[in-house]
Amino acid sequence: MQTITTPAAAGVLLGDYMGGIIASLRASGHARTSETYSSALSSFSKFMAPKPPTLADFTDDTLQAYEGYLLGRGLVRNSVSFYMRILRAVYNRAADAGLVAFQHPFRHVYTGVDRTVKRALSAAEVARVRDLPLAHLPQLAYARDMFMLSFYLRGMSFIDMALLQRDQLRYGRVEYVRRKTGRSMSVAWLPEMQAIVDRYPPASPYLLPLIGGRMPSVRPACRKVAYNINRRLKEVGCLAGIAAPLTMYVARHSWASAAYSRGVPLSVISEGMGHDSEHTTRIYLASLDNDEVDRANREVISSLG
């Protein structure tokens, strides 16, 4: 069944319609979500080229062809679903606005989430990465150090690490706001963290040696640095005998896994990582004392031996 459109829909360019959504997301502080919408628009536009896509192109046949196009380019089902779910959200919004008649054009393409391969390392594997002799390979040593910093900082995300200011470290604590959730976080600054920072020259105004100087747009710089670090981490993982690809995001999963394996309550792990999706625990536990989370972090780090 083809999507039934209003007369206006055929003339509404998808780029214009999604551009408005993307601009609204940026204006409301949802920069990361706006980037995912931009990626989906770019992907679908490349598939439709040279014809600029319109809202009328959300049809059963076109979407199934697009799914085949993505799979043919080597994307896994979860990546395909990622794009489809964004486009479906856009289609639903257009339907709510009366631009298209809702006809479920996404029902024949995959929009679920497959169970992904194991991302977390065991404590023994993290220790192998930490202890890998890399003095003769300074670029790999740097990537490994940034991985370990993320792990020590309770799985702090790369963007939060990169944008930490030096004045956010005071009285033995790092105070910051998670860019993904807007939650205020406080992490005890431990000797393991300082030992890594001491190996690299200061990058004022930033606390960690990831991006340097004051630049008009830090997000592109962060993406570039993260790409280079993740590329080198894959080499580090191979040298450490780690089967799965090593990335900065693996550090976050690994902290959670190590904490859980040490018997740290799920609610403490959630608080330590700044999650906002532990609905069940939040019903009877509004917040945790930072000291309890810090004790959990010291336990995780000490488990490396």
Side-chain angles (χ1 to χ4, degrees):
M1 180 184 295
Q2 300 298 308
T3 297
I4 301 172
T5 63
T6 68
V12 177
L13 292 175
L14 184 63
D16 291 342
Y17 187 72
M18 287 189 70
I21 297 173
I22 291 166
S24 177
L25 286 168
R26 286 176 181 157
S28 60
H30 296 87
R32 180 169 175 172
T33 304
S34 74
E35 290 171 1
T36 65
Y37 272 62
S38 295
S39 295
L41 173 60
S42 175
S43 174
F44 192 66
S45 296
K46 287 178 182 176
F47 164 69
M48 293 294 294
K51 174 189 177 295
T54 69
L55 291 177
D57 290 315
F58 285 142
T59 67
D60 288 348
D61 291 343
T62 300
L63 291 170
Q64 288 180 73
Y66 176 52
E67 181 179 57
Y69 162 83
L70 294 175
L71 292 171
R73 291 173 65 86
L75 273 70
V76 299
R77 279 175 25 112
N78 278 349
S79 296
V80 173
S81 176
F82 169 78
Y83 287 125
M84 290 297 184
R85 282 181 280 126
I86 291 174
L87 294 178
R88 183 177 62 184
V90 171
Y91 171 82
N92 289 342
R93 182 179 292 208
D96 288 342
L99 295 176
V100 294
F102 192 71
Q103 294 292 313
H104 302 284
F106 290 83
R107 68 189 183 283
H108 295 308
V109 296
Y110 183 65
T111 56
V113 179
D114 287 341
R115 174 172 288 186
T116 57
V117 295
K118 174 178 174 285
R119 288 182 176 179
L121 304 186
S122 66
E125 289 172 323
V126 174
R128 283 214 309 274
V129 170
R130 180 199 61 187
D131 298 335
L132 200 63
L134 295 174
H136 60 302
L137 297 168
Q139 290 185 327
L140 298 191
Y142 166 77
R144 183 267 310 280
D145 284 348
M146 297 307 103
F147 176 90
M148 293 306 304
L149 261 180
S150 175
F151 182 88
Y152 292 150
L153 287 162
R154 303 191 324 222
M156 187 184 293
S157 71
F158 182 87
I159 186 70
D160 288 334
M161 286 175 59
L163 299 184
L164 280 177
Q165 303 281 308
R166 296 181 70 83
D167 60 7
Q168 288 176 266
L169 172 59
R170 49 187 177 270
Y171 308 115
R173 306 194 68 82
V174 174
E175 312 279 349
Y176 73 104
V177 176
R178 281 203 72 203
R179 276 156 180 81
K180 184 174 181 179
T181 62
R183 289 198 57 194
S184 296
M185 304 292 294
S186 179
V187 184
W189 188 253
L190 303 178
E192 291 85 353
M193 306 167 190
Q194 188 64 46
I196 292 176
V197 172
D198 286 344
R199 288 200 278 273
Y200 301 94
S204 183
Y206 299 106
L207 175 63
L208 306 181
L210 289 165
I211 57 176
R214 298 184 183 275
M215 51 195 76
S217 180
V218 295
R219 280 190 172 271
C222 288
R223 283 196 295 269
K224 182 178 180 180
V225 173
Y227 172 81
N228 288 331
I229 288 177
N230 284 333
R231 181 165 52 83
R232 290 164 185 154
L233 280 176
K234 289 177 174 60
E235 296 183 56
V236 172
C238 289
L239 292 174
I242 307 298
L246 198 62
T247 67
M248 288 295 291
Y249 199 60
V250 170
R252 185 167 175 80
H253 278 260
S254 299
W255 186 86
S257 177
Y260 189 74
S261 69
R262 299 285 292 183
V264 177
L266 189 60
S267 54
V268 177
I269 297 171
S270 175
E271 185 75 10
M273 300 179 76
H275 285 162
D276 61 357
S277 59
E278 286 293 329
H279 299 301
T280 303
T281 57
R282 303 265 180 251
I283 290 172
Y284 55 87
L285 186 62
S287 63
L288 289 171
D289 187 275
N290 276 317
D291 288 342
E292 184 175 1
V293 178
D294 291 333
R295 282 195 295 273
N297 193 29
R298 291 189 186 95
E299 262 200 57
V300 168
I301 293 173
S302 68
S303 73
L304 302 183

